[in-house]
Amino acid sequence: MTYAFPPAWIPSLPIRGASDEFPVRRVYCVGRNYAEHAVEMGHDPDKEPPFFFQKNPDNLVLGAEFPYPSATKDVHHEIELVVALSRGGTDIPVDAGLDHVFGYAVGLDMTRRDLQAGAKKLGRPWEIAKAFEKSAPITEIVPATAIGHPASGAITLSVNGELRQAGDLSQMIWKTAEIIAHLSGLFELAPGDLIMTGTPAGVGPVARGDRLEGSVEGVGRLAVAVV
Ligand code: MN
């Protein structure tokens, strides 16, 4: 078989301690997974079923630089723990969820907040707010064989050295295994899928020239310049 034109490349991420790359299939994101962030966005923090949206795999960018995107005046940082799957399936039980995890990374769910607010108001989808070019700066993937499955530990983001977001993974309303269970009831998961697990309170705007530094204890650090 030949293609009418060259196919797009397969997005992939380095894996700590390995020469092979992690080929990315889909990027799922969890909304409002930390109570204080739900409150700051004007929602009830009670435990409702998780909801999901997606970014495009080719929106991932390995650290370094985040180009300020078009069509917005209010781009926000959201620091998140990212789960990388090595196994897929449907209707995965919670107690088997972590068996599907290859490893973890630190990611930013960069968001055009003004476009998201407009979409929410009109009941429209979120892609223009969430799934734009280079909207997902991310680190290498750290295998669970090296670090286990982090369920607690600080998750932070500083802008120009000033702490903006500070939370703990233990504050996640829906835990990693529960997220996998829910998501696999909605989609057929597969090796190569990433899940961004939501952000703690303290989201806010970035400007060109800002230096963002994110970290998840036990997983890694992500340094990004807004250009
Ligand atoms: Mn997010």
Side-chain angles (χ1 to χ4, degrees):
M1 188 187 67
T2 58
Y3 295 104
F5 49 85
W9 87 102
I10 296 174
S12 67
L13 296 171
I15 299 166
R16 185 183 297 172
S19 53
D20 290 337
E21 295 251 322
F22 182 93
V24 178
R25 193 186 77 123
R26 293 182 185 168
V27 182
Y28 296 103
C29 306
V30 185
R32 289 172 219 145
N33 201 27
Y34 289 76
E36 286 177 29
H37 173 61
V39 171
E40 77 178 346
M41 297 303 292
H43 299 279
D44 192 319
D46 289 346
K47 190 165 181 168
E48 294 169 352
F51 72 92
F52 303 97
F53 57 91
Q54 285 172 259
K55 287 179 181 271
N56 298 301
D58 65 357
N59 296 155
L60 293 164
V61 55
L62 194 63
E65 289 191 341
F66 170 75
Y68 200 92
S70 63
T72 179
K73 290 187 167 67
D74 193 25
V75 179
H76 280 203
H77 52 74
E78 296 190 358
I79 187 72
E80 311 206 358
L81 172 71
V82 183
V83 178
L85 301 188
S86 54
R87 290 175 57 197
T90 55
D91 299 320
I92 298 165
V94 173
D95 63 7
L98 295 182
D99 301 340
H100 295 70
V101 176
F102 177 87
Y104 297 87
V106 182
L108 278 163
D109 168 16
M110 299 303 291
T111 302
R112 287 161 160 162
R113 194 70 76 200
D114 44 1
L115 299 191
Q116 186 193 31
K120 283 180 177 175
K121 210 162 147 186
L122 296 168
R124 289 182 180 165
W126 285 9
E127 280 85 356
I128 58 168
K130 292 289 195 176
F132 56 90
E133 268 52 66
K134 303 199 174 180
S135 59
I138 191 167
T139 62
E140 64 182 357
I141 290 172
V142 189
T145 51
I147 59 164
H149 298 281
S152 64
I155 174 168
T156 62
L157 183 97
S158 319
V159 179
N160 303 324
E162 187 180 311
L163 188 63
R164 294 281 177 84
Q165 290 189 264
D168 194 283
L169 298 179
S170 62
Q171 298 165 336
M172 284 167 56
I173 296 171
W174 294 95
K175 311 302 181 193
T176 301
E178 295 174 319
I179 293 167
I180 291 168
H182 271 279
L183 199 51
S184 70
L186 296 166
F187 298 98
E188 181 170 355
L189 301 181
D193 289 346
L194 298 182
I195 307 169
M196 303 188 75
T197 58
T199 198
V203 300
V206 302
R208 285 184 187 80
D210 281 349
R211 301 198 64 84
L212 314 184
E213 184 151 339
S215 88
V216 177
E217 191 178 343
V219 179
R221 305 184 78 79
L222 173 59
V224 173
V226 181
V227 298

